[in-house]
Structures are given as C-alpha cells and as structure tokens.
Amino acid sequence: MSKLKAWLTGGASAAVALWGGGAAAQVEEVVVTGIRGSLERAVDVKENAGSIVDAISAEDIADFPDTNVAESLARITGVAITRTRGGEGQFVTVRGLGEEFNAVTYNGRLLATENNGREFSFDVIASELISGAEVYKSSEARLGDGSLGGRVNIRSAKPLSRPGFHATGSFSGQYEGLDESTGLRATGVVSNTWADDTFGMIASISYQQRDARTDIAESTFLIPDVLVDANGLVNGGLDADGDGFSDDTGAVITNRDARFNGFAPSVAFTDRRRIGGTVAFQWTPSDQTEVVVDALYTNFESPGQLFGYSYFPSAFDGSFTGTNAAVNEFNQVVAHEIQAFALDLVSRQTEGEAETIAFGANIEHYFNDRWSINLDAAYSNAEGNRDNFGSASGSGTFFVLGYPNNAQFTFDANGRLTPDATFTALNLPTDTGNTSIENLTADDIRLHFARRDTIEVEDEIISLRADSKLEFGDADVLRFGVDFVGREKSNTAFNNLANQCRLCGYATPVAQNSPQLVPSLLQTFDDSFLSTADGNFPRVFPFFTTGDLEQAYADSGNADALIATFDPSASSVVEENVWGTYFQFDLDGELGRIPFMANFGTRFAYTSLTSTGSAGSLGSIVSSTLVRDPNGMTTSNQEFGFAAGGDVEIDNDYFDVLPSFNINFDLTDNYKLRLAASRSLSRPTLTDLSTFFSVTSFNPGGEQVQSANPELEAIRANNFDLSIERYGDGGTYFAVAAFYKDISDFVTNRVVEQTITVPQVIRENDGSITDNGIQDINFLVFAPQNGDSAEVYGLELAAQYLSNAGFGVSGNVTFADSTATTDGVSSQLENISDVSANGAVFYENYGFQARLSVNYRSDYLIGQTVEGGLNEFADDFTQFDLSMSYQLNDTLTVFLEGINIFNEEVIRISEFANSGFLESFEENGARWVLGVRGGF
C-alpha cells in the first residue's frame, strides 16, 4: 500500500475523533469526543509536532470550544487577544508580539484581510466554519516566513475523513446583558462521499446576528502644556509671548508643564451580522494521488451609532482658564472648575463591512513510496471598510452640536477611575429653571462640526507553491520547494476635510432653518448608562441622530459640506511580491541511546515592494483657514488645504537568508526535551509602507500629522527556544518553555516637531475670505521608522489533567518582558503583558458537560506617543466564561454559554499608570447563548 493510501486510511479514525461520532469505516476504535476529546487531540498535535506547536480542536462537527476563534486561541499558552468594542476577540498576540508580527493562514495559505495593514481579523470568520488551528511558535523552513511571534494556521475539514452522508446543524439565541437585546446564530454542515469513498464533498454555512452595546467614558482634549499657579488657577491655550506657554497671570507658577484632560462619556450600539460558508471537494483517483479544492466566503457587517457629550474647554482663540485646580505628582490636572466655552453633544455613525473570498486547489502525488510532490495554488480577496469609533481617519460620519453660551464644568478624578463631574448650562434661552445637561432642548443647540471620513480597502493575494518530499533511510526526509506570494493592498480615502468646519462657531441654531426637527431632535438616554463606573457624573443626557443633522445641513443650504471626496494624500496602493525557496532535512535517530527527531533547513526570501500614491507633504500646505462667527471671534477648528503634489512611486526590495533548527529528544517514555533556533522576519504592516499622509488634529496648539514610510526595512529576529514536556495517559501533560528573541530594525512611531510657515485666511460667516497674513504653525509629525534593537524573553508554564471520572483541569501562565532601544533611549515594546494566564475546570459524563474558564492578561503598552506625545496602556483584564450542555439523545444536544459573565470592563490608562488617570473605560456586559445542536 502506498504512503498516501496509508495516510488516508490511518487518518480516517483521527478525523472521526475530530468530527465526533462513531468509528471510521472498517476501523474498530473507541473514539473520545466532547471537551475531553478536543483537549486530547490538541495535546496529540503538540506531542507529535516536529517543532514547538500548540493547537485547538473542535469538540464536534460545527462545535468549536468558543463562539469566536480568537477567544479559543487565547486559551493557548503564550497567546493573548485584543477585543473590539462589543467584547469580541479580533486580533491575536503571540508571546507578546502583536497582530502585525504574526502570519495567519487558512489551510496553509495567506489570507487577505480588509484591515489597512496585514493584521487578520478573526471576527470575520465564524468559529463553526473551521475544524481546528495550530500556533507554530518556532520556525520550520517549509512553513514560510512573515512571523516573529507565531504562525497561526486555521484548518477546514475534508470530506473523506468521514465517509458516508452526514448532516449537522445548530440554532441558538443570544442575549446581551447590557443592551437587553437578543440575537441568533444558526449553522449547518453537510457532507457525503461517493465512488467507494474516493470522492467527497463537505459544505457549511453559518449566520450570526447580535446587537452589541458598549458604554464608554474617555479623557479628551489632552493639552500637554498648561500653567497652574499656587492658588489653583489654570491658564492655558495659545502661546502669545513665544515662551512655549500661555501668558503668565502674574501669580507664582508652580507647574509650567501640567497636562490637562477633558471628559467625554458616550454609548455605542453596533449591529453585527456575519454570514459565511465553506465548501471542499476531495478526490483520490488512485492510491498515489489526492486532489482537494476548497473555497471560503464570509461577509461581516457591523454598522454602528455612537451618542455622547463632552465639554470643549477652549474659547474661540484656543485659550482657557479655570480655578480650584489640583495637580498630582505626575503633573496631571486631576481636579478643576472651568467656565467651558461650549458643552458639546456628539453623534457618530459607522458603516463597517468586510467581505472575504478564498479559493484553493491542492494536488499531492506519490511517484513511489519515497518520492512525492505537492502543488498548491490559491487566491483570496477582501474588500470593505472598518470604520471605527475612534477620532482618527476611517471614523465614518461625526457631528458635533453645541451649547455655546458658557457651561460650568467641575471635575474631580483624584482617587477614582472615572471622575466626579457636573455640567451646568448657563443662560439657557429656554430658561427651564433647571440648568443640568438633561434639560437642554433643541432650541438651545447650535450646529458646529461635521466630518465624513472613510477608507475603502481592497486586498488581493495570489499564492503558488511547489513542494517535494524525498524519503531515504528508515525515517529521514528531504523537503524542498519554491513558492510565490503576490499581494496588492489599496487604501482609498474619502473625506470632507475641506468643508468639515463650514458651520463651525456655533453660529447657526438648529431651529433657525429646521423648525420641524426641534420637537424630535434631542432624545434622552436612560440612567442605566455606565452603571459600573465609580464616578458620579450625568448618566442621563440628550442625543440626536446623524440623519437629523444631515437634514439640518440640507435645510441651511450646506448639504454639499457633507459630501466626501477623494483624498489622494491619504490613499495609496502597495504591491508586494515575495519569492521563496527552501530546503529542510527531517531526521529521526538516536544520540547516544536517546531517541531524537530533528529538522533543520534554510529559507531564502526575496521581497520586492512598490508603493504608489500622492506626493503630499507638510510643505504643500497652501493655507490654514480659521472660521469667524458673527461676533468677530474665530473658532479653534482649522482647515488645511494641500497643493497638488502629483503621483509618487517608491520601490524597495531586500533579500533574506532564514535558517531554522528544531530537535526533540525523547528523554523517557513520558518526557520530551525540545530545542529550537531560527532567524525570522516580519515585514512592516502595509499601512506603514504606504504613502499615507494626513493632518489628524486641527486645533490650534495641537496640530498633528501622521505619515507612512515606504522605505522601511523588514523587522528581523534571532530566536531561541527550550521546552521540557511530560505526557501522561489520556491527554494529561505538563510543559515548561523558555524563549528569547533578539530583534533588529523594529518599527516605532517617532515624533518630531516641525514648524511650517503658511499663509492663513479667515472665512467669515457669510463665506467671504479675509487675509490673515503669514503664520508659523507647529506640527507634531508622527512617522514610523526602523528602530535600533529590541529583546523579548519569557517563560511559559502549562499543565492539563483529565481524570477517568469525567473531571478535568487545565491551565497555563506566560511571563514575558521586553526591552527596546531607539536612538539610545530605552523603552518597552507594545502589546507585551508581563503575565498572561488561562485556566479551566470541567466535568463531562453521562451526556452532561460543564466548563468554567478564565482568561487573564496584565497591563501592557498599547501605543507610544499616541495623544499629546504620551504613551497609552491597557489595564489588566480578567474574563470568565461558562459553558454547559446536555445530550438529550443520540441526535440532539441543548447547550448554554456565558461570555464575560462577570462583566469585566476594558480600561485604558495614561502613560503614568500609577496615577490612575483614565484614558478610556468600556463596559460591554455579559452575553448568554442558549441553543440546540443535532446531527446524524
């Protein structure tokens, strides 16, 4: 019998375990299913791998351990995830290195993504559409390149692994604890084989819908340089005398470099709809040949609305004053009282959508028992936009209404995560007798700011592989091959930057042109808002829809101000071609009397890059425009125009030699020792490699620019791993692993201050233009650069015990740290938590399953020099999940799942982590899923 036939026959029983159910055709075997079976199969993958690998596996057909693939991956040792608003896992971090450093493949092929860069969003694929996944933590030459942290391979099922006709389906309802809304999930899988089980087909479809709500409290309007005198008087704003600060008040200055934050609560609603399907055909026309053709389709829509309020602390000229200020040891103003210029009400609408298709064809042929070839071709395409609720590009439609007649604002964050705050509207035109925020009416509100901003993304990948395997001796193998990956990523930006401040200045009352909107424009939110936050601030506030404001702009004759037009400076196309070739030896023998299994090889990779876009730059600014209201005051919102810079095309290429070595010693029947060493690379994210250039902050004194850098080099690392593992019976094991990565040329966001002299004009309320002379504008310019060096190192501990009585426990913990040096300054890398841990206890017997699991991640750096030049950190996070099921009969099972059952909040804090000064606080609530699953 040929090698291929033996593989197919032997693999049938293992695949039955993967799918659940009885023994394979003509194979007498007791198959373990459910939670225990899933864990045992994952351990089998780890134990028998030629490198350092961890895995997850489906419990049964269309029955993955979690509702989200990323959340299942987070239970793997050394893996952590980041979550979207709404609490769903989205991106994967491996051994502290973020999503941009990890390659994600589908059946071994790189998959296109609708994100601006390379990062893959796991929330676009329903977990029911896959059968398992592996995380390769050490390199093998045969696997490809592109990852410093780990390589994640998602697997779909093959029909011949389970001969005959089978059908499985599930239906469940989902309850959102925070929003008190319901959603649904439905999945169906069917497979069949024909022609004496030599030809088969499997198809799956999945639909999910949920209405997610997130309650948010954020710090806003960070002003990095304000004065606070000995009497607690705050003085900040435009630098009138050129000393780098606002004009002195004459008092004794105790803090000349204090940082001042505003406060903005909001609530976001997202309608998340996901539909997807897979199909695969498998054919074995002979004992020597296998052909597999598969396809994947997903469509993920996540439109959202956000409503909130905030105060704008600056007057028209950008200055502000306050009293009773308190400054902490980190020079942050943690308490103050301000006569704010405006009380702002904000509304935001996003239209996130992602559509992904992938096709692949694979032929494996054995010429004889020792020589085989594998040919693979694949195509994937992703289109869409991922609008978000942030303040940067891609944030959809964003409106600001305001009450401009001064609002009293008091703020006290000292000793609390969220502050005590009061908003009092003064001199209300309607004179309701109650000046609190919830009593504002549409008659009090003026039009102000309107932004429409989106980025359309298209990603296209073509991959070709030819691998050959030559066996010699008893168990030694030579692998060699060539491969090609061609990728084109286009980011096309549309916005209304030239007109977003058309009505700035709060000069146009809504009621002036749109009296029909006044009765319904402002609605009031309920007092369940941010119920777990510790501060005492208004929970009830008015809000409005973006549709109302679009009508108001049309009624005022300014509908054209909302038209988003093509922005060449923020648009780009990146073409990347990677040619690779490799050889790898797999050896099996003894060293002394100790059996070992090893592989060593080298991959050669040539990367060619072309980045195309506009030649926009700071020097092309032709004017900065301020807007003046009828009283002669200029607003603090500016507009910037750019001269046509023409097209630019930048080429970049580099060649790499990437050796790898793995050796596994069977010290005893139970103990393994693994050693690994390799050189790997991760190419910069495609966003950084574009020609992107955009002004991201317009307020006077806080102007900022973000740009990309197509000439970035790849990030490279020398990696060393050591692992000691003990395997027992029935999936029980214990492992200790240490890792070290020496990284060069890592990419960091550097900030420089650049002064540009430009002509400035003032646009009057009637649309006329007044010359304001030549002005110097100081920009903070953010741009990615290759850094000097970095080190990542850590220790992993993992254990699992499965008893014959049905009880089981598993857990792991990862300790990691990093050091980075840029221009001689030491810091740490982003996304690395000092400690991440997972644990689960379960019971499974007599048709009943129950599992309680926990996922923990300590605080970590999100981004360097993010807002106002400060670093931003994610606070520690602990999530508990619960799942239970009962098998009613041989066909039907009912199940209950709880996600984030204790409503853990997502918290971000400022650079001064010990100060407790809030960046953002997000409450997503718990989710509960109740359903039924059946099959035959």
Side-chain angles (χ1 to χ4, degrees):
M1 181 181 293
S2 71
K3 296 284 186 180
L4 179 62
K5 187 65 176 180
W7 173 80
L8 288 171
T9 305
S13 60
V16 169
L18 178 64
W19 292 99
Q26 302 179 0
V27 177
E28 296 296 332
E29 184 180 358
V30 177
V31 178
V32 181
T33 61
I35 298 175
R36 184 186 183 105
S38 172
L39 295 175
E40 285 187 12
R41 289 188 296 276
V43 171
D44 286 343
V45 171
K46 181 179 182 67
E47 182 178 7
N48 297 313
S51 53
I52 299 177
V53 179
D54 281 289
I56 50 176
S57 174
E59 295 177 19
D60 205 337
I61 184 171
D63 182 16
F64 219 68
D66 297 275
T67 59
N68 182 290
V69 178
E71 289 161 5
S72 285
L73 289 168
R75 307 194 191 287
I76 288 179
T77 310
V79 176
I81 63 174
T82 56
R83 301 174 185 271
T84 64
R85 281 184 173 166
E88 288 194 32
Q90 184 180 24
F91 297 126
V92 167
T93 294
V94 181
R95 288 180 163 177
L97 291 168
E99 57 271 13
E100 68 272 23
F101 296 107
N102 302 306
V104 177
T105 59
Y106 178 73
N107 291 332
R109 307 154 181 149
L110 197 64
L111 200 59
T113 171
E114 89 293 350
N115 289 300
N116 296 346
R118 301 180 191 276
E119 57 274 17
F120 179 76
S121 299
F122 283 89
D123 58 348
V124 304
I125 297 182
S127 61
E128 293 90 344
L129 301 182
I130 75 170
S131 62
E134 298 89 25
V135 178
Y136 292 86
K137 298 178 181 178
S138 65
S139 298
E140 293 185 49
R142 66 182 177 89
L143 293 176
D145 59 34
S147 60
L148 292 188
R151 188 175 188 88
V152 182
N153 182 48
I154 302 170
R155 289 183 286 104
S156 63
K158 294 181 179 180
L160 296 186
S161 298
R162 197 185 189 202
F165 177 80
H166 302 277
T168 298
S170 68
F171 183 85
S172 58
Q174 183 165 277
Y175 175 75
E176 301 283 339
L178 188 61
D179 194 36
E180 298 183 347
S181 63
T182 57
L184 61 88
R185 295 167 52 196
T187 301
V189 181
V190 61
S191 67
N192 199 7
T193 58
W194 299 272
D196 295 327
D197 298 330
T198 62
F199 180 78
M201 183 273 292
I202 183 170
S204 66
I205 188 169
S206 173
Y207 175 80
Q208 298 180 16
Q209 182 272 329
R210 64 176 289 232
D211 295 323
R213 167 180 158 184
T214 303
D215 291 355
I216 308 155
E218 295 178 289
S219 293
T220 59
F221 309 120
L222 188 145
I223 302 173
D225 297 305
V226 300
L227 304 179
V228 179
D229 67 21
N231 299 314
L233 179 66
V234 180
N235 183 26
L238 297 179
D239 178 21
D241 58 8
D243 65 355
F245 300 94
S246 305
D247 289 341
D248 295 350
T249 63
V252 176
I253 303 302
T254 57
N255 289 280
R256 295 186 61 88
D257 191 24
R259 292 176 172 88
F260 180 93
N261 289 65
F263 180 60
S266 60
V267 57
F269 298 93
T270 308
D271 181 9
R272 304 171 70 88
R273 298 177 185 270
R274 181 188 293 110
I275 186 170
T278 64
V279 62
F281 299 92
Q282 186 178 10
W283 180 40
T284 55
S286 69
D287 289 346
Q288 290 77 36
T289 305
E290 179 196 40
V291 180
V292 178
V293 178
D294 58 70
L296 164 75
Y297 172 80
T298 69
N299 182 276
F300 179 41
E301 298 180 359
S302 55
Q305 292 262 345
L306 178 145
F307 310 101
Y309 66 90
S310 64
Y311 75 99
F312 198 82
S314 298
F316 280 127
D317 62 359
S319 66
F320 65 94
T321 59
T323 59
N324 298 323
V327 180
N328 66 11
E329 60 183 301
F330 305 101
N331 257 8
Q332 290 173 301
V333 179
V334 294
H336 56 75
E337 184 173 311
I338 283 184
Q339 190 85 8
F341 164 66
L343 176 64
D344 284 341
L345 302 173
V346 301
S347 180
R348 187 168 287 160
Q349 179 175 325
T350 62
E351 299 294 338
E353 182 175 5
E355 184 177 65
T356 304
I357 59 173
F359 302 97
N362 182 274
I363 300 175
E364 184 174 24
H365 179 73
Y366 275 79
F367 297 101
N368 52 49
D369 287 348
R370 293 183 177 274
W371 181 29
S372 66
I373 189 170
N374 189 299
L375 304 177
D376 192 274
Y379 170 84
S380 66
N381 178 280
E383 296 183 14
N385 63 75
R386 186 58 73 95
D387 287 344
N388 56 68
F389 287 121
S391 59
S393 298
S395 59
T397 300
F398 176 53
F399 283 103
V400 179
L401 290 179
Y403 168 69
N405 295 329
N406 292 327
Q408 190 71 28
F409 176 75
T410 63
F411 179 98
D412 187 355
N414 212 5
R416 282 175 297 279
L417 187 60
T418 55
D420 287 346
T422 61
F423 296 82
T424 304
L426 306 179
N427 306 316
L428 284 171
T430 52
D431 194 18
T432 61
N434 188 335
T435 59
S436 58
I437 184 174
E438 63 266 28
N439 290 93
L440 291 175
T441 72
D443 291 320
D444 305 320
I445 301 302
R446 315 285 183 86
L447 297 172
H448 180 50
F449 182 78
R451 180 180 68 216
R452 181 154 285 167
D453 197 342
T454 190
I455 296 179
E456 296 180 357
V457 179
E458 182 174 7
D459 192 15
E460 192 172 47
I461 297 177
I462 296 175
S463 62
L464 303 170
R465 290 183 63 94
D467 301 289
S468 189
K469 184 171 64 174
L470 181 63
E471 302 181 26
F472 56 94
D474 293 331
D476 300 330
V477 178
L478 169 62
R479 304 175 188 267
F480 54 94
V482 294
D483 46 64
F484 167 79
V485 177
R487 185 171 201 167
E488 180 176 296
K489 170 86 75 169
S490 65
N491 291 305
T492 307
F494 298 88
N495 56 59
N496 67 328
L497 291 181
N499 295 300
Q500 63 184 5
C501 222
R502 171 82 62 85
L503 298 180
C504 284
Y506 310 94
T508 308
V510 175
Q512 174 178 303
N513 300 297
S514 308
Q516 78 280 5
L517 293 180
V518 171
S520 61
L521 178 64
L522 294 179
Q523 308 169 62
T524 303
F525 198 67
D526 64 77
D527 57 5
S528 68
F529 173 61
L530 280 169
S531 59
T532 64
D534 56 358
N536 182 19
F537 51 87
R539 261 58 172 198
V540 178
F541 60 93
F543 67 94
F544 57 91
T545 68
T546 55
D548 289 332
L549 269 296
E550 288 172 352
Q551 184 61 53
Y553 268 73
D555 293 339
S556 67
N558 290 281
D560 62 311
L562 304 181
I563 298 175
T565 58
F566 173 63
D567 182 358
S569 65
S571 304
S572 65
V573 177
V574 178
E575 297 180 56
E576 184 181 76
N577 295 316
V578 179
W579 290 265
T581 184
Y582 74 91
F583 70 87
Q584 177 176 313
F585 287 98
D586 297 352
L587 304 178
D588 197 342
E590 290 188 355
L591 186 61
R593 294 186 177 182
I594 301 177
F596 75 88
M597 180 174 63
N599 63 72
F600 66 92
T602 300
R603 169 167 286 272
F604 306 91
Y606 173 72
T607 304
S608 174
L609 172 83
T610 300
S611 185
T612 306
S614 172
S617 66
L618 274 177
S620 67
I621 295 176
V622 296
S623 68
S624 63
T625 304
L626 299 175
V627 185
R628 183 147 58 198
D629 77 352
N631 298 319
M633 301 296 291
T634 55
T635 73
S636 57
N637 291 88
Q638 298 180 98
E639 300 169 353
F640 293 94
F642 293 84
D647 293 333
V648 62
E649 183 176 289
I650 300 175
D651 296 322
N652 191 12
D653 66 303
Y654 43 87
F655 178 78
D656 286 275
V657 179
L658 306 171
S660 62
F661 172 74
N662 295 271
I663 186 167
N664 311 326
F665 293 100
D666 291 327
L667 301 179
T668 68
D669 290 342
N670 300 108
Y671 282 92
K672 280 183 177 291
L673 170 66
R674 300 181 191 266
L675 300 172
S678 66
R679 183 167 175 81
S680 61
L681 68 80
S682 179
R683 297 172 182 88
T685 182
L686 295 169
T687 311
D688 288 344
L689 289 171
S690 71
T691 58
F692 175 86
F693 177 89
S694 180
V695 177
T696 55
S697 179
F698 299 84
N699 294 333
E703 295 90 348
Q704 295 181 5
V705 166
Q706 178 69 53
S707 67
N709 182 1
E711 297 181 342
L712 290 171
E713 281 284 322
I715 306 100
R716 301 173 177 90
N718 296 319
N719 313 283
F720 303 94
D721 298 86
L722 182 151
S723 178
I724 300 175
E725 304 154 10
R726 185 191 187 280
Y727 295 92
D729 297 330
T732 297
Y733 86 101
F734 174 78
V736 180
F739 60 90
Y740 172 78
K741 299 177 181 293
D742 182 14
I743 304 173
S744 60
D745 292 325
F746 73 93
V747 176
T748 186
N749 207 21
R750 297 189 184 180
V751 184
V752 298
E753 185 171 326
Q754 185 171 349
T755 301
I756 301 296
T757 301
V758 299
Q760 188 178 79
V761 298
I762 295 177
R763 189 175 67 231
E764 308 293 345
N765 189 250
D766 61 5
S768 62
I769 300 296
T770 300
D771 187 3
N772 199 41
I774 301 297
Q775 304 291 330
D776 288 337
I777 298 180
N778 296 321
F779 283 89
L780 286 179
V781 182
F782 294 73
Q785 300 287 337
N786 286 108
D788 294 335
S789 62
E791 294 178 311
V792 179
Y793 40 90
L795 182 69
E796 298 175 342
L797 305 175
Q800 181 171 287
Y801 173 75
L802 308 178
S803 77
N804 293 328
F807 290 97
V809 59
S810 64
N812 60 73
V813 59
T814 300
F815 304 95
D817 203 353
S818 68
T819 59
T821 304
T822 304
D823 295 334
V825 178
S826 296
S827 62
Q828 65 185 97
L829 292 181
E830 299 173 4
N831 290 307
I832 295 184
S833 295
D834 290 341
V835 181
S836 57
N838 302 279
V841 294
F842 74 88
Y843 175 77
E844 182 178 37
N845 222 337
Y846 308 108
F848 174 74
Q849 291 183 0
R851 178 182 59 200
L852 177 66
S853 56
V854 60
N855 173 258
Y856 169 78
R857 185 178 186 183
S858 65
D859 59 347
Y860 61 92
L861 176 67
I862 296 174
Q864 297 178 344
T865 58
V866 175
E867 185 179 11
L870 295 181
N871 294 342
E872 184 177 1
F873 290 82
D875 203 6
D876 59 273
F877 181 86
T878 306
Q879 177 171 308
F880 285 86
D881 300 326
L882 175 69
S883 65
M884 303 174 67
S885 68
Y886 182 71
Q887 187 174 348
L888 299 175
N889 52 45
D890 291 341
T891 302
L892 294 178
T893 298
V894 294
F895 60 90
L896 173 70
E897 299 170 352
I899 301 98
N900 193 22
I901 60 177
F902 296 128
N903 188 20
E904 178 78 349
E905 298 93 354
V906 178
I907 298 169
R908 297 184 176 187
I909 51 182
S910 76
E911 176 177 1
F912 308 106
N914 294 327
S915 72
F917 200 84
L918 178 74
E919 287 289 338
S920 68
F921 176 101
E922 296 181 7
E923 181 184 353
N924 291 300
R927 286 179 281 148
W928 296 91
V929 179
L930 177 65
V932 61
R933 181 185 303 112
F936 58 91

